Amino acid sequence: PATAGALIRLAGVLARQQNGEVLALQVVTVPDQVPLEEGRRRAEAGRVILEQALNQAKEENFVLQTMTRVSHNVAEGIIDTAREEDVDLIVLGWRGYTRSAGASMGPIIDPVMRNAPCDVTVAKGAEWSKAKKILIPTSGGPNAPISARLAWLLSEVFDSQVTALYVQQGRATPQRMKKNRYLINKTLEGLEFSRPPEQKVVVADSVVDGIVREAQEYDLVLLGASEEGLFDQFAFGSIPQKIAARVQRTAVIVKHTTGPTQIWIQRLINNFFRLLPRLNIEEQLDLRETMSDSARPGINYFVLITLSSVIASLGLLLDSSAVVIGAMLVAPLMSPIMGLSLGMVLGDIRMIRLSIEAVFKGVALAVVIAVFTGVLSPFKELTNEILSRIQPTLLDLVVALASGIAGAYALARKEVGAALPGVAIAAALMPPLGVLGLGLAFGRPEVVGGAFLLFITNIAAISLAGVLVFMVLGVRPQTWQLESRQRMRRGLIGFTLLLIVVTIPLGTIMSSVVKDTARQQAVREVLQEQITDRPWDMVDFEYRTENESLSVVVTIRSTHDINPDAVEEIAAALGTELGQPVSLEVVTLPVIRYPE
């Protein structure tokens, strides 16, 4: 890793070239419960390092000031000092790896890179002053000219040969190669090198592999900070970070400051994620071990599937909500689905395969049991419990997403594991399979289609929600290989596309339900308004659409005979309100009142 002396030397070279000065900052951290006076005492004990920096500045002929800051957080101390002292550039050292899991450069560098009010340079390695060959990879991003300027300053001091590199992924047309050369020239624009820089375009399967391969011939690699999307950086880490970690010699990452609007947006995002808990390495390993065991289909899994399918099928036939809820609690399908989500995040192909196998075997067994239950049952009618699961809407999709979020969070955070029974009820994975099997047994394709749509909605939404929750909680593989990245991306795209596909029929059904509810409410209001002034009491009504007209049947209680003119008047009022022809049928329940 870059030592304090090497970082000060780098800062001194840059300051000397631009008639600037160096501020050597020492941040002394103290816990919240320790008084600041104690922090100042510790700071005095660390003055030795700053004295060494002053001596170094005298020997290497650049202006240096020293400062000690007491803070509860190193990154905040650096950022606050940069803002107060109007600093133009922050120089940090990086060991080339981090003990943090996943896409991180550490708890100090990450927040400084995101929130610094000025340019930031992160150096890995300490031999940059011996660099005779400097490599500047570029893709035309806004940070590439900053790295090129740094290369120019260093090359003027150490008489280094600079090479600007563009990595072309796959074969390219002549027009594309011409554009690649243009991007290189744009990166070097305005810089007058004593030794003209070389320009090089190479072809590789990936940007990272291409740059790392080329970097073997160079002493120093200067990288502009990544402009990748937020998701890619959050999930996989930035390209410069991965390159710097793999480069054997010295690597430097530079980042140009963003505007105040972007900084405030980034702060809001950071504060949001800071509110969320993060799993440490031990918790991640424990979660992985637990889910690996749960995702493996064993005898207990199939016994519970059989019992839950029987309970669900009987509950649906008996129209008993309590029995159906019991089936939800017994069903073990949530575990392999969460195992699939975790396997995608970890890039664990074995866990993914076991989870998919468990889900398919469990679903097949549950449907077969439900079919046999339906065939052997003397009850063949569609109960309310069945009918409520054959017309899923977008609200069911929202419920499934919320259930997946709750399930993944409860599995990852052991202290809230008591919520898992509630999650099982909310997820409702087994009842749709019971309805599907009963629909097959009864020969009702509309029942089969509706139940299948609900189950696919639940599976896709819960799996996608699980992936997102595990990522937010900080679950990562130990190393991000290309296969792992592609596997996660394909899985996320697949589940997202599946949700988009099922959203179409869900939206159609919901639109129909909303329209039908509005029509029902309109019919009710007209009937109540018309019947209020008559000696009738409305018991119930029903309606159905026949071609272009609406047929309404209303049941009333009355002590008088029904006047046909009154029926026609009510029908006309319904037609006017609904904007379509209405045929009205009145069923009278005669009421006889005896005088007291």
Side-chain angles (χ1 to χ4, degrees), residues 162-418:
V162 176
T163 300
L165 173 71
Y166 187 95
V167 177
Q168 169 64 43
Q169 296 188 73
R171 302 177 64 179
T173 62
Q175 291 80 5
R176 178 66 210 184
M177 294 300 288
K178 183 178 179 180
K179 183 177 181 180
N180 296 342
R181 297 285 182 184
Y182 167 77
L183 293 175
I184 292 177
N185 289 324
K186 184 179 178 181
T187 299
L188 302 174
E189 187 178 10
L191 300 176
E192 298 180 359
F193 290 84
S194 299
R195 298 176 62 179
E198 297 180 1
Q199 299 183 15
K200 191 173 185 179
V201 178
V202 298
V203 178
D205 293 332
S206 74
V207 174
V208 175
D209 292 338
I211 294 176
V212 171
R213 185 177 64 243
E214 289 295 319
Q216 295 176 358
E217 303 176 4
Y218 292 84
D219 305 308
L220 172 63
V221 181
L222 294 173
L223 301 158
S226 176
E227 295 300 318
E228 298 169 278
L230 178 61
F231 171 77
D232 278 354
Q233 293 193 50
F234 175 73
F236 309 117
S238 68
I239 286 178
Q241 173 190 339
K242 289 181 284 189
I243 296 170
R246 292 175 56 183
V247 168
Q248 297 298 319
R249 301 184 182 179
T250 304
V252 174
I253 301 175
V254 296
K255 180 180 182 297
H256 185 57
T257 181
T258 57
T261 302
Q262 290 86 344
I263 291 178
W264 278 107
I265 293 175
Q266 187 64 57
R267 285 182 180 177
L268 291 175
I269 295 174
N270 296 340
N271 290 334
F272 170 76
F273 282 108
R274 193 176 293 117
L275 294 174
L276 300 174
R278 305 282 286 183
L279 300 182
N280 57 37
I281 296 295
E282 291 75 16
E283 290 173 328
Q284 292 187 35
L285 291 175
D286 182 57
L287 175 63
R288 180 171 185 169
E289 182 178 353
T290 301
M291 294 310 301
S292 295
D293 294 337
S294 301
R296 187 179 294 108
I299 183 64
N300 294 333
Y301 175 78
F302 293 112
V303 169
L304 291 177
I305 286 288
T306 300
L307 294 175
S308 62
S309 181
V310 171
I311 295 171
S313 301
L314 293 177
L316 293 167
L317 290 171
L318 295 172
D319 201 21
S320 172
S321 300
V323 176
V324 174
I325 291 174
M328 299 177 193
L329 291 172
V330 176
L333 278 174
M334 194 72 167
S335 293
I337 295 175
M338 288 291 102
L340 174 60
S341 300
L342 184 62
M344 289 176 55
V345 175
L346 294 173
D348 188 337
I349 188 64
R350 183 172 178 272
M351 184 181 293
I352 294 175
R353 180 181 58 80
L354 287 174
S355 300
I356 293 176
E357 179 183 353
V359 171
F360 271 100
K361 289 182 177 179
V363 168
L365 178 60
V367 172
V368 170
I369 295 296
V371 170
F372 275 104
T373 303
V375 171
L376 298 176
S377 172
F379 305 107
K380 305 294 183 182
E381 65 180 69
L382 300 182
T383 63
N384 290 330
E385 286 291 327
I386 295 176
L387 293 174
S388 65
R389 291 175 172 85
I390 63 174
Q391 281 194 317
T393 67
L394 292 175
L395 297 181
D396 294 284
L397 175 60
V398 175
V399 170
L401 286 172
S403 301
I405 293 173
Y409 188 81
L411 286 170
R413 307 289 296 177
K414 300 298 183 183
E415 59 269 27
V416 295

Side-chain angles (χ1 to χ4, degrees), residues 522-523 525-527 529-531 534 565-582 584:
V523 171
E525 291 177 355
V526 171
L527 290 176
E529 180 181 351
Q530 293 293 323
I531 292 176
R534 306 176 192 275
D565 294 338
V567 175
E568 292 181 6
E569 183 180 342
I570 297 174
L574 286 171
T576 302
E577 177 68 23
L578 300 175
Q580 66 181 117
V582 174
L584 177 63

Side-chain angles (χ1 to χ4, degrees), residues 536-590:
W536 302 345
D537 292 324
M538 186 172 66
V539 177
D540 194 10
F541 73 93
E542 60 183 32
Y543 66 94
R544 61 182 179 273
T545 302
E546 297 177 350
N547 297 326
E548 297 295 327
S549 64
L550 187 69
S551 177
V552 179
V553 178
V554 58
T555 302
I556 63 171
R557 289 194 298 263
S558 178
T559 57
H560 299 77
D561 294 334
I562 301 300
N563 187 346
D565 294 338
V567 175
E568 292 181 6
E569 183 180 342
I570 297 174
L574 286 171
T576 302
E577 177 68 23
L578 300 175
Q580 66 181 117
V582 174
S583 63
L584 177 63
E585 179 180 343
V586 178
V587 177
T588 305
L589 300 178

Side-chain angles (χ1 to χ4, degrees), residues 1-3 7 10 92-97 105 109 121-128 219-221 241-253:
T3 63
L7 292 177
L10 174 59
L92 301 171
W94 184 44
R95 62 172 65 93
Y97 63 92
M105 295 181 72
I109 297 178
T121 295
V122 179
K124 170 206 167 186
E127 299 182 357
W128 53 268
D219 305 308
L220 172 63
V221 181
Q241 173 190 339
K242 289 181 284 189
I243 296 170
R246 292 175 56 183
V247 168
Q248 297 298 319
R249 301 184 182 179
T250 304
V252 174
I253 301 175

Side-chain angles (χ1 to χ4, degrees), residues 72-84:
H72 296 305
N73 181 283
V74 175
E76 290 180 1
I78 295 173
I79 295 171
D80 290 342
T81 302
R83 186 176 295 110
E84 294 170 5

Side-chain angles (χ1 to χ4, degrees), residues 418-500:
L420 282 174
V423 172
I425 296 174
L429 292 167
M430 187 56 66
L433 294 178
V435 174
L436 194 156
L438 294 177
L440 291 173
F442 298 163
R444 302 292 294 268
E446 73 279 7
V447 173
V448 175
F452 180 74
L453 176 61
L454 177 58
F455 182 73
I456 289 298
T457 300
N458 288 344
I459 286 284
I462 292 173
S463 300
L464 180 60
V467 170
L468 298 177
V469 169
F470 289 138
M471 288 177 57
V472 169
L473 292 178
V475 178
R476 300 287 189 277
Q478 294 302 310
T479 58
W480 276 113
Q481 298 179 348
L482 179 61
E483 293 80 7
S484 300
R485 178 173 181 163
Q486 292 176 341
R487 194 175 296 123
M488 173 185 280
R489 192 183 299 278
R490 285 196 297 267
L492 284 173
I493 292 175
F495 282 127
T496 302
L497 290 178
L498 181 57
L499 282 180
I500 293 174

